[in-house]
Amino acid sequence: MSGSDPGRLRERVTIEMPVRAEDGAGGASIGWSTLATVRAEVISFKGATLAATEREEAREPYRVVIRYRDDVTAEMRLRWRGRVLDISGRHDPDGHRRWLAIECEVRP
């Protein structure tokens, strides 16, 4: 996101964090809990195709830009327009803690 144009935050994105639920028999399952719903700019990069060992694997990468938060981690995920986006990275694009750019991919 260039500059500081909050008008580009036209989408609603839900940030979800994993919640571990013990099953009482020594195991556990992972559920998801909403951390926050925020305004965002969602940038789609056309689906790329990666060579994965002996097969082709399609992926759908996105960059999601939100107002800066320091509580978003790679263990979390985003939900946008019914899609689940796994977070692969995050960074502060201008170093001023105004914006957070989150790199992610649609969960297969």
Side-chain angles (χ1 to χ4, degrees), residues 8-86:
R8 296 177 72 161
L9 305 179
R10 294 187 176 116
E11 300 287 337
R12 287 197 178 274
V13 173
T14 300
I15 304 167
E16 296 180 335
M17 58 187 196
V19 177
R20 182 180 168 97
E22 303 296 329
D23 66 7
S29 62
I30 300 295
W32 294 92
S33 176
T34 297
L35 175 67
T37 298
V38 297
R39 304 295 296 177
E41 177 183 17
V42 179
I43 303 159
S44 172
F45 299 102
K46 291 194 176 195
T49 304
L50 299 176
T53 55
E54 297 174 0
R55 62 186 173 95
E56 293 282 315
E57 187 175 293
R59 65 181 196 153
E60 199 175 342
Y62 287 88
R63 176 174 296 136
V64 177
V65 180
I66 63 174
R67 291 190 184 273
Y68 188 84
R69 302 176 60 107
D70 60 4
D71 59 350
V72 177
T73 68
E75 290 78 32
M76 296 177 179
R77 70 183 190 182
L78 304 178
R79 188 173 294 277
W80 171 68
R81 292 187 178 183
R83 295 179 177 141
V84 174
L85 306 173
D86 289 325

